[in-house]
Amino acid sequence: LRELSKEKYINDQITNSSRSMISVINKNYVYEKVNRTFCSAQNVNVDEIIGRTLAEVWGNETFLTNIKKNIDLCFEGNTVRYEASFNTPEFGNRFYEVVFRPITRGTGDTTHIFAETFDITDLKTSQKIVCELEEEFKKIETNLPIGFLRCEPDGTIIHANRGFLKIIGCDEEGPMTGINIKEFYSEKGL
């Protein structure tokens, strides 16, 4: 009994120190365990989540439309990973990576799901900024008055601007993309 108590204490400490929202869900879609981060995001105490269904916590429409199919896949024994954007009372609308892992018995039957939800808002914001900067860079390089092209390290052309296309007598970029710059060299050994 003392060992079980010690093990529970350690498990609770690990779970509650995570920055991710962690929960354990049973086959009836009911929360059996949640960590502090989960409760903080929902702005409630543990007792207000334990014993409630996912539909009660997230709303029936959100549960049926966005969550249930992934939970059901996990209960079939699959680890499910996806990205979602949703609101929590404490943090508002943010981007998350959600991972559902099956918890099985010795018979292989999935009895519960371990759900871990990571906040990836900063990563998504950074990716969006990089994409916007890349698009802006493409616009600038496309309109340069000189011939310009970008290649992969192996020489495969990724982008050729209007100036380069005019120099080689090509009307559009499509035929150039995917060609290796080495094909333009007169000496193939270069």
Side-chain angles (χ1 to χ4, degrees), residues 12-76:
D12 287 346
Q13 292 302 311
I14 292 169
T15 303
N16 283 321
S17 66
S18 176
R19 293 182 308 183
S20 301
M21 290 186 276
I22 295 175
S23 59
V24 176
I25 303 160
N26 69 24
K27 281 200 173 231
N28 295 320
Y29 310 107
V30 173
Y31 285 109
E32 288 194 6
K33 183 171 183 67
V34 292
N35 71 344
R36 283 186 200 130
T37 305
F38 187 98
C39 293
S40 293
Q42 295 299 326
N43 211 10
V44 296
N45 294 321
V46 171
D47 298 339
E48 296 175 69
I49 298 288
I50 302 297
R52 291 180 66 197
T53 66
L54 279 80
E56 291 172 322
V57 173
W58 298 104
N60 197 49
E61 184 178 335
T62 299
F63 171 68
L64 292 174
T65 307
N66 302 321
I67 302 172
K68 186 178 184 306
K69 65 181 177 271
N70 292 315
I71 293 278
D72 291 342
L73 271 172
C74 190
F75 275 119
E76 292 172 9

Side-chain angles (χ1 to χ4, degrees), residues 44-177:
V44 296
N45 294 321
V46 171
D47 298 339
E48 296 175 69
I49 298 288
I50 302 297
R52 291 180 66 197
T53 66
L54 279 80
E56 291 172 322
V57 173
W58 298 104
N60 197 49
E61 184 178 335
T62 299
F63 171 68
L64 292 174
T65 307
N66 302 321
I67 302 172
K68 186 178 184 306
K69 65 181 177 271
N70 292 315
I71 293 278
D72 291 342
L73 271 172
C74 190
F75 275 119
E76 292 172 9
N78 303 297
T79 296
V80 179
R81 181 183 305 264
Y82 65 98
E83 292 181 4
S85 173
F86 55 85
N87 268 316
T88 62
E90 182 66 22
F91 303 122
N93 193 31
R94 303 204 35 103
F95 292 99
Y96 296 94
E97 179 181 29
V98 181
V99 181
F100 295 138
R101 291 184 181 87
I103 299 173
T104 58
R105 287 190 176 155
T107 61
D109 295 334
T110 301
T111 59
H112 292 79
I113 290 174
F114 179 81
E116 193 169 14
T117 305
F118 308 90
D119 187 333
I120 58 169
T121 304
D122 293 341
L123 174 65
K124 285 293 194 184
T125 302
S126 297
Q127 287 173 339
K128 182 180 177 191
I129 290 169
V130 167
C131 286
E132 289 169 356
L133 288 172
E134 189 171 283
E135 283 303 312
E136 188 64 29
F137 182 69
K138 276 185 180 179
K139 286 178 188 174
I140 291 170
E141 72 182 19
T142 296
N143 295 313
L144 283 173
I146 59 172
F148 183 85
L149 63 102
R150 264 191 296 139
C151 299
E152 295 283 352
D154 69 355
T156 303
I157 297 173
I158 300 171
H159 175 70
N161 77 345
R162 289 184 190 134
F164 182 81
L165 296 174
K166 189 174 184 179
I167 291 168
I168 64 166
C170 188
D171 293 331
E172 58 184 57
E173 182 181 14
M176 297 301 305
T177 305

